């Protein structure tokens, strides 16, 4: 069987580790040529090496999504390296966790610059190429934002702004054949592993609140779902939020 994403070209921001790494691995496994970007060259190289060892085509671009020039460079390098852009995954996002009353303007600036503004800039830069290939955009939301979890004010504001942007883009870009969707993952990234290991009581409560009883695997649970989402198998879905969190946000 031919891989579902053979001939497609993808850019994954924050692709060197965690959920971004899992998505990049899964896209490459389905035949996509993948560019991964991020601020840390060593993690990008490690992920690129793993993709290449599995037989995938991959390039890396070092840059900060909080800088518009860097974002435009990521898109331009993707097109230069592989000749186009069909899939844009806006994964990179800085996070701040503190009570609402203690949340500062600087916290909001950090989360907005790395989240909705970075997503906005990448989508604008990618639009001409997505038009040419009737492409797909996947933006990363958060179940913490959907639920309104305590101490996540700045992060939740940024992630819900991304969901609003996604719905507008789905309406405006649908006539070009471009699909724009959100995924909200709950995955056992290295950061999540470290946090849960340091807070065993919290870990127990988190797992108790997930009907499937476990955190998602960044590649197998999140990455493969994103690969399916951007494939022709999901060609009639746009403007949607896909909750990849094991049922964590189910309402009673």
């Amino acid at each position: 069987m031919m891989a579902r994403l053979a001939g497609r070209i993808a850019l994954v921001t924050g692709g060197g580790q965690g959920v971004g790494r899992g998505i990049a691995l899964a896209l490459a496994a389905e035949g996509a040529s993948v560019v991964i970007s991020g601020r840390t060259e060593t993690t990008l190289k490690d992920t690129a090496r793993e993709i290449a060892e599995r037989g995938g085509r991959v390039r890396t671009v070092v840059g900060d999504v909080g800088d518009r020039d860097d974002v435009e460079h990521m898109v331009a390098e993707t097109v230069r390296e592989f000749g186009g852009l069909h899939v844009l995954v806006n994964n990179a996002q800085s996070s701040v966790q503190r009570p609402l009353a203690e949340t500062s303007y600087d916290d909001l600036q950090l989360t907005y610059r790395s989240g909705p503004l970075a997503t906005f800039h990448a989508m604008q830069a990618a639009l001409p190429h997505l038009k040419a290939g009737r492409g797909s955009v996947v933006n990363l939301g958060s179940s913490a934002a959907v639920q309104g979890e305590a101490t996540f004010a700045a992060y939740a504001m940024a992630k819900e702004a991304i969901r609003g942007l996604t719905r507008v883009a789905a309406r405006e870009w649908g006539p070009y054949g471009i699909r724009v969707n959100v995924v909200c993952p709950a995955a056992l990234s290295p950061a999540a592993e470290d946090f849960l290991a340091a807070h065993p009581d919290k870990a127990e409560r988190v797992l108790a609140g997930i009907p499937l009883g476990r955190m998602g695997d960044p590649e197998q649970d999140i990455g493969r779902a994103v690969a399916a989402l951007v494939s022709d198998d999901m060609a009639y879905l746009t403007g949607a939020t896909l909750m990849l969190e094991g049922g964590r946000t189910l309402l009673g």
Side-chain angles (χ1 to χ4, degrees), residues 31-68:
S33 299
V34 180
V35 173
I36 52 174
S37 69
R39 293 179 296 180
T40 307
E41 187 172 17
T42 54
T43 59
L44 291 175
K45 286 185 174 180
D46 288 345
T47 298
R49 186 179 305 112
E50 186 171 0
I51 291 173
E53 287 173 351
R54 296 186 188 185
R57 300 180 68 207
V58 61
R59 299 290 187 274
T60 65
V61 180
V62 177
D64 183 352
V65 295
D67 184 310
R68 182 165 194 161

Side-chain angles (χ1 to χ4, degrees), residues 130-246:
L130 296 172
K131 279 184 180 180
R134 299 178 68 84
S136 183
V137 179
V138 177
N139 295 327
L140 273 287
S142 170
S143 59
V146 172
Q147 288 185 304
E149 289 188 15
T151 74
F152 281 92
Y155 183 72
M157 289 169 67
K159 286 301 189 184
E160 289 297 272
I162 289 172
R163 287 215 298 156
L165 173 63
T166 298
R167 291 191 291 269
V168 171
R171 285 188 183 275
E172 293 188 2
W173 295 0
Y176 305 133
I178 300 170
R179 298 186 298 111
V180 191
N181 292 291
V182 170
V183 297
C184 293
L188 201 58
S189 64
E193 285 188 278
D194 291 344
F195 177 81
L196 294 176
H199 303 86
D201 291 342
K202 174 72 171 178
E204 187 175 340
R205 291 196 299 272
V206 167
L207 291 177
I210 299 176
L212 290 183
R214 64 180 178 84
M215 296 285 283
D217 180 83
E219 179 182 359
Q220 298 302 314
D221 294 316
I222 311 305
R224 291 199 306 170
V226 170
L229 182 58
V230 302
S231 76
D232 291 341
D233 292 345
M234 302 288 279
Y236 200 53
L237 185 69
T238 194
T241 296
L242 189 61
M243 305 301 298
L244 299 175
E245 34 65 282

Side-chain angles (χ1 to χ4, degrees), residues 99-162:
L100 175 59
E102 300 172 15
T103 298
S104 69
Y105 183 68
D106 287 343
D107 294 336
L108 297 180
Q109 282 192 313
L110 174 64
T111 55
Y112 266 74
R113 188 172 63 251
S114 63
L117 288 177
T119 299
F120 168 76
H121 293 151
M123 288 170 64
Q124 281 196 332
L127 179 58
H129 312 291
L130 296 172
K131 279 184 180 180
R134 299 178 68 84
S136 183
V137 179
V138 177
N139 295 327
L140 273 287
S142 170
S143 59
V146 172
Q147 288 185 304
E149 289 188 15
T151 74
F152 281 92
Y155 183 72
M157 289 169 67
K159 286 301 189 184
E160 289 297 272
I162 289 172

